[in-house]
Amino acid sequence: MINTREWSKHAKYRDLNPISKYLVTNFFQSLRELFILVNAPTILDVGCGEGMVLKSMEDLMSDKQCSAIDLDPKEIEDAKKNVEFCDFKVGSIYEIPFEDNFASLVFCTEVLEHMDEPEKALDELHRVTKEYAILSVPNEPLWRTLNMVRLKYWKDFGNTPDHKNHWSSNSFKRFIGSRFEIVKELNPIPWNCVLCKKKEASSES
């Protein structure tokens, strides 16, 4: 039986297939482009896994205060080994262990598609960010189509194990629009990556 955590947090970043490496490189580059657009002194990565997204931005983090959480203690152990410039702790996206407006920028990449309660998770991301968030999810139905092309997960019509939510570019923007204003969107195949700005309480109706 496939370990869904292993697939979602490890294999896609370590796949030696040249096409997979190309796609992941573009994904990281898109996140970097969005990150560079804002001058964020404090960073919080929610659902950091083994820290590969943060590691890809190491050269941009020298003057940043960085924190990160993940629900899996083993992932946190790995992240501490991979990323030396960030403070890591175990924590849930449903109850993020930081105060309101903790970070200037919150990362949440490749997490929301796994959530049973994505709205609750989004509310927590909104609470802990002071201003910005960078969010990413698979771009559907492209993600599942590409899985089918590579002969993966046929019995599930290309759906990656443990993916519970499926957003196109437009539906994802509608989903986060209740809490965030879209600043810039990038769509490296096969992902949706969005830089968004926190809506204040007076503008959330």
Side-chain angles (χ1 to χ4, degrees):
M1 184 178 201
I2 187 169
N3 182 325
T4 57
R5 187 93 183 157
E6 185 71 16
W7 191 97
S8 64
K9 291 293 185 181
H10 295 268
K12 66 185 175 188
Y13 296 147
R14 293 179 172 177
D15 195 328
L16 297 180
N17 180 291
I19 295 177
S20 296
K21 289 179 65 175
Y22 174 77
L23 295 178
V24 169
T25 297
N26 285 347
F27 172 66
F28 284 154
Q29 183 58 40
S30 294
L31 296 179
R32 286 174 62 92
E33 285 185 40
L34 296 177
F35 180 66
I36 290 170
L37 291 177
V38 296
N39 183 19
T42 53
I43 312 298
L44 174 61
D45 189 351
V46 177
C48 63
E50 60 178 353
M52 299 310 293
V53 168
L54 291 172
K55 183 69 174 177
S56 73
M57 301 186 187
E58 185 170 11
D59 59 311
L60 303 176
M61 293 287 188
S62 60
D63 61 342
K64 312 296 184 186
Q65 177 184 330
C66 180
S67 303
I69 66 168
D70 197 274
L71 188 61
D72 188 335
K74 180 60 170 64
E75 297 281 20
I76 291 297
E77 290 178 13
D78 292 342
K80 289 178 178 179
K81 297 173 184 176
N82 293 330
V83 182
E84 297 181 354
F85 59 82
C86 196
D87 294 323
F88 295 93
K89 66 168 65 176
V90 175
S92 168
I93 192 173
Y94 295 134
E95 295 181 357
I96 299 174
F98 293 98
E99 65 270 19
D100 295 358
N101 302 313
F102 171 77
S104 305
L105 171 68
V106 170
F107 277 103
C108 186
T109 57
E110 304 310 284
V111 175
L112 292 170
E113 65 270 24
H114 300 279
M115 297 293 99
D116 290 318
E117 300 179 82
E119 294 84 2
K120 182 177 179 180
L122 190 69
D123 286 344
E124 274 291 273
L125 296 173
H126 179 270
R127 180 184 67 79
V128 296
T129 186
K130 183 177 181 180
E131 190 167 11
Y132 293 103
I134 292 177
L135 312 175
S136 77
V137 294
N139 191 349
E140 297 288 7
L142 179 59
W143 181 275
R144 282 176 289 182
T145 299
L146 291 180
N147 276 340
M148 296 286 283
V149 167
R150 66 192 188 101
L151 305 179
K152 294 288 187 179
Y153 318 126
W154 270 66
K155 70 180 180 63
D156 295 316
F157 301 100
N159 186 52
T160 300
D162 203 36
H163 280 200
K164 300 173 182 178
N165 304 294
H166 307 89
W167 289 288
S168 67
S169 172
N170 287 334
S171 63
F172 186 59
K173 286 185 287 187
R174 287 194 298 271
F175 167 68
I176 64 178
S178 63
R179 291 289 179 263
F180 293 94
E181 174 186 350
I182 307 300
V183 176
K184 187 175 180 63
E185 177 188 20
L186 295 175
N187 303 106
I189 296 172
W191 286 279
N192 298 315
C193 301
V194 178
L195 169 66
C196 48
K197 188 171 184 179
K198 179 177 184 174
K199 287 183 177 180
E200 299 303 328
S202 61
S203 63
E204 287 172 16
S205 58

